[in-house]
Amino acid sequence: DKERDLTWTSVSSVAPLLNGIQPQRSMYREETLSDEAYVKLVSRPMPGVIFRLTPSYVWADQTGLATDPEQAVHVKTKLSYAATSGLLVSGYYNYKKKENATGTLADALLPAGTDGAVTTQDVNKVQQAAGVSLNIPVSQKINTTASLSWMQDDLVTYYLRSDRRRFEAPNNAIAFIVQDQSNYLIDTYVLTLGGDWQVTDPLRFNGSYSISNSKGDTASGTILAELPSVDGRIDSSLHTLAVGADYVYTKKIKLQGSYIYDYYADEVYAALSGGVHTVMLGVAVGF
């Protein structure tokens, strides 16, 4: 139960509203009431293997924001295997779908229960993510890791327009029209390679490299046609190289240091491309 302390300027025949928006002309509402049910399953079908599954369902009697789900389905899964040799393999898949068609705009402000035509805002959002990771010990002192993941954000919503600004003539009719249905669809892939080397008992080196690539359209149809080309599409990559070391100076003092280089490459808007160097030094003290 989420409550919002919203203040609306009242409309009356004596003092008509000059600057303000009424609840019937806004996508905001005072309260969101929702419930969620879920089931959690943990299974060990064979030695070293663990399977996890958590499906859930959310439903709302009323929503205060178009981004609050009127109904949502969420499924989380993970499968992992740990071998006696130290090898660890795991994979996951997550799915979440949110829908909301409770947001409405009234074309006319009339006595309670007699509003004019109503235009509905329909929001559908699907998020998916999947990945696999490996942890491979090369020897007692060297360990390596690798992971690959994918994420997708898919949003479809109505593009609404009106024939006047909502606060200009609050007691008069305003035509709200569904102009188009725009789609936002972005895919992201992330690859990470890493490892660490225990050189001596007190000294350990570590390093990693990752690349993240995001690509897709931020809109479609009418909105995409109106946007500048650099805002209508995403095509970018982020490269990160990190190396570091930690040294146990005494039983209570550990010295740490790392160097990180990030390089961002934007294929759509090249002026945003560039790199950043980061050096960090630290001391961990135990008591």
Side-chain angles (χ1 to χ4, degrees):
D1 183 1
K2 300 178 183 178
E3 295 185 2
R4 301 171 179 87
D5 187 16
L6 303 180
T7 300
W8 307 98
T9 305
S10 61
V11 175
S12 67
S13 58
V14 178
L17 178 65
L18 298 178
N19 280 296
I21 298 175
Q22 289 298 287
Q24 300 95 322
R25 299 267 171 84
S26 172
M27 287 294 178
Y28 291 95
R29 297 294 183 265
E30 293 287 346
E31 192 173 21
T32 295
L33 290 172
S34 63
D35 296 279
E36 180 178 9
Y38 73 92
V39 177
K40 187 174 182 179
L41 169 69
V42 179
S43 174
R44 295 174 174 82
M46 57 182 291
V49 177
I50 300 179
F51 174 68
R52 302 176 186 272
L53 172 64
T54 305
S56 66
Y57 179 69
V58 177
W59 68 98
D61 295 328
Q62 58 184 355
T63 61
L65 302 175
T67 53
D68 290 337
E70 178 188 6
Q71 55 182 352
V73 176
H74 192 186
V75 179
K76 298 177 65 176
T77 64
K78 183 178 181 180
L79 179 65
S80 61
Y81 169 70
T84 55
S85 62
L87 172 69
L88 177 62
V89 183
S90 65
Y92 70 92
Y93 173 74
N94 297 335
Y95 175 88
K96 188 172 187 178
K97 182 176 182 179
K98 298 167 60 176
E99 299 178 353
N100 191 346
T102 62
T104 58
L105 294 169
D107 291 356
L109 298 183
L110 302 173
T114 58
D115 277 345
V118 171
T119 301
T120 299
Q121 172 62 281
D122 191 6
V123 179
N124 289 273
K125 184 174 184 178
V126 176
Q127 293 175 301
Q128 299 183 78
V132 60
S133 64
L134 297 173
N135 184 85
I136 306 173
V138 178
S139 66
Q140 291 184 347
K141 294 187 176 182
I142 299 178
N143 190 59
T144 60
T145 61
S147 66
L148 176 65
S149 60
W150 163 75
M151 293 158 282
Q152 184 184 79
D153 198 354
D154 187 357
L155 172 66
V156 180
T157 185
Y158 285 152
Y159 167 43
L160 306 177
R161 69 174 177 87
S162 63
D163 60 351
R164 69 180 71 187
R165 291 178 294 186
R166 289 172 288 175
F167 60 82
E168 287 184 320
N171 289 316
N172 297 329
I174 297 179
F176 291 100
I177 302 170
V178 176
Q179 182 72 20
D180 196 5
Q181 192 175 47
S182 186
N183 181 218
Y184 172 99
L185 179 60
I186 304 294
D187 287 283
T188 300
Y189 296 88
V190 181
L191 172 66
T192 301
L193 304 173
D196 59 79
W197 176 25
Q198 192 73 44
V199 184
T200 62
D201 288 341
L203 178 62
R204 182 175 68 95
F205 292 131
N206 59 78
S208 66
Y209 168 76
S210 68
I211 177 173
S212 173
N213 177 257
S214 298
K215 183 179 294 187
D217 297 315
T218 62
S220 64
T222 302
I223 295 182
L224 180 61
E226 295 295 329
L227 287 174
S229 57
V230 295
D231 295 325
R233 182 165 177 79
I234 291 177
D235 187 357
S236 61
S237 299
L238 177 63
H239 302 260
T240 300
L241 174 66
V243 293
D246 54 74
Y247 180 77
V248 180
Y249 186 68
T250 66
K251 291 183 178 180
K252 294 184 178 181
I253 299 178
K254 177 186 286 188
L255 307 178
Q256 298 172 314
S258 64
Y259 166 75
I260 302 173
Y261 177 65
D262 295 297
Y263 182 78
Y264 176 77
D266 198 310
E267 301 297 332
V268 179
Y269 192 32
L272 294 177
S273 300
V276 176
H277 300 269
T278 304
V279 176
M280 293 183 286
L281 300 174
V283 178
V285 180
F287 296 96

PDB file of all heavy atoms in Angstrom, residues 29 38 58 110 232 248 267 281:
ATOM      1  N   ARG A  29      -2.084   9.281  -9.237  1.00  0.00           N
ATOM      2  CA  ARG A  29      -3.208   9.010  -8.355  1.00  0.00           C
ATOM      3  C   ARG A  29      -2.700   8.947  -6.916  1.00  0.00           C
ATOM      4  O   ARG A  29      -1.503   8.805  -6.658  1.00  0.00           O
ATOM      5  CB  ARG A  29      -3.894   7.686  -8.734  1.00  0.00           C
ATOM      6  CG  ARG A  29      -4.498   7.686 -10.135  1.00  0.00           C
ATOM      7  CD  ARG A  29      -5.663   8.648 -10.273  1.00  0.00           C
ATOM      8  NE  ARG A  29      -6.272   8.591 -11.587  1.00  0.00           N
ATOM      9  CZ  ARG A  29      -5.971   9.397 -12.602  1.00  0.00           C
ATOM     10  NH1 ARG A  29      -5.018  10.319 -12.445  1.00  0.00           N
ATOM     11  NH2 ARG A  29      -6.567   9.293 -13.767  1.00  0.00           N
ATOM     12  N   TYR A  38       4.077 -15.607  -4.280  1.00  0.00           N
ATOM     13  CA  TYR A  38       5.226 -16.254  -4.923  1.00  0.00           C
ATOM     14  C   TYR A  38       5.454 -17.635  -4.319  1.00  0.00           C
ATOM     15  O   TYR A  38       5.014 -17.944  -3.208  1.00  0.00           O
ATOM     16  CB  TYR A  38       6.485 -15.396  -4.796  1.00  0.00           C
ATOM     17  CG  TYR A  38       7.089 -15.358  -3.417  1.00  0.00           C
ATOM     18  CD1 TYR A  38       8.078 -16.269  -3.030  1.00  0.00           C
ATOM     19  CD2 TYR A  38       6.675 -14.419  -2.481  1.00  0.00           C
ATOM     20  CE1 TYR A  38       8.634 -16.241  -1.767  1.00  0.00           C
ATOM     21  CE2 TYR A  38       7.225 -14.377  -1.210  1.00  0.00           C
ATOM     22  CZ  TYR A  38       8.200 -15.282  -0.865  1.00  0.00           C
ATOM     23  OH  TYR A  38       8.729 -15.249   0.397  1.00  0.00           O
ATOM     24  N   VAL A  58       1.963 -10.415  -9.310  1.00  0.00           N
ATOM     25  CA  VAL A  58       1.535  -9.199  -8.630  1.00  0.00           C
ATOM     26  C   VAL A  58       0.261  -8.695  -9.290  1.00  0.00           C
ATOM     27  O   VAL A  58       0.170  -8.662 -10.526  1.00  0.00           O
ATOM     28  CB  VAL A  58       2.635  -8.105  -8.708  1.00  0.00           C
ATOM     29  CG1 VAL A  58       2.146  -6.816  -8.052  1.00  0.00           C
ATOM     30  CG2 VAL A  58       3.911  -8.579  -8.053  1.00  0.00           C
ATOM     31  N   LEU A 110     -16.582  17.165 -15.355  1.00  0.00           N
ATOM     32  CA  LEU A 110     -18.001  17.298 -15.079  1.00  0.00           C
ATOM     33  C   LEU A 110     -18.262  16.837 -13.651  1.00  0.00           C
ATOM     34  O   LEU A 110     -17.355  16.381 -12.964  1.00  0.00           O
ATOM     35  CB  LEU A 110     -18.793  16.457 -16.087  1.00  0.00           C
ATOM     36  CG  LEU A 110     -18.564  16.807 -17.570  1.00  0.00           C
ATOM     37  CD1 LEU A 110     -19.267  15.803 -18.466  1.00  0.00           C
ATOM     38  CD2 LEU A 110     -19.027  18.216 -17.875  1.00  0.00           C
ATOM     39  N   GLY A 232      17.657   8.757 -31.191  1.00  0.00           N
ATOM     40  CA  GLY A 232      16.715   7.706 -31.552  1.00  0.00           C
ATOM     41  C   GLY A 232      17.269   6.300 -31.438  1.00  0.00           C
ATOM     42  O   GLY A 232      16.511   5.339 -31.455  1.00  0.00           O
ATOM     43  N   VAL A 248      49.380  -8.785   2.599  1.00  0.00           N
ATOM     44  CA  VAL A 248      49.154  -8.889   4.041  1.00  0.00           C
ATOM     45  C   VAL A 248      50.447  -8.490   4.742  1.00  0.00           C
ATOM     46  O   VAL A 248      51.402  -9.279   4.823  1.00  0.00           O
ATOM     47  CB  VAL A 248      48.713 -10.309   4.441  1.00  0.00           C
ATOM     48  CG1 VAL A 248      48.483 -10.376   5.948  1.00  0.00           C
ATOM     49  CG2 VAL A 248      47.451 -10.712   3.675  1.00  0.00           C
ATOM     50  N   GLU A 267      28.902   4.717 -30.853  1.00  0.00           N
ATOM     51  CA  GLU A 267      28.870   4.672 -32.313  1.00  0.00           C
ATOM     52  C   GLU A 267      27.860   5.646 -32.897  1.00  0.00           C
ATOM     53  O   GLU A 267      27.920   5.976 -34.089  1.00  0.00           O
ATOM     54  CB  GLU A 267      28.539   3.249 -32.789  1.00  0.00           C
ATOM     55  CG  GLU A 267      29.527   2.190 -32.330  1.00  0.00           C
ATOM     56  CD  GLU A 267      30.918   2.425 -32.883  1.00  0.00           C
ATOM     57  OE1 GLU A 267      31.035   3.016 -33.980  1.00  0.00           O
ATOM     58  OE2 GLU A 267      31.897   2.030 -32.204  1.00  0.00           O
ATOM     59  N   LEU A 281      44.380   3.291  -3.770  1.00  0.00           N
ATOM     60  CA  LEU A 281      45.266   2.704  -2.771  1.00  0.00           C
ATOM     61  C   LEU A 281      44.522   2.659  -1.445  1.00  0.00           C
ATOM     62  O   LEU A 281      43.772   3.584  -1.104  1.00  0.00           O
ATOM     63  CB  LEU A 281      46.549   3.528  -2.621  1.00  0.00           C
ATOM     64  CG  LEU A 281      47.419   3.697  -3.866  1.00  0.00           C
ATOM     65  CD1 LEU A 281      48.567   4.648  -3.589  1.00  0.00           C
ATOM     66  CD2 LEU A 281      47.961   2.333  -4.320  1.00  0.00           C
TER      67      LEU A 281
END
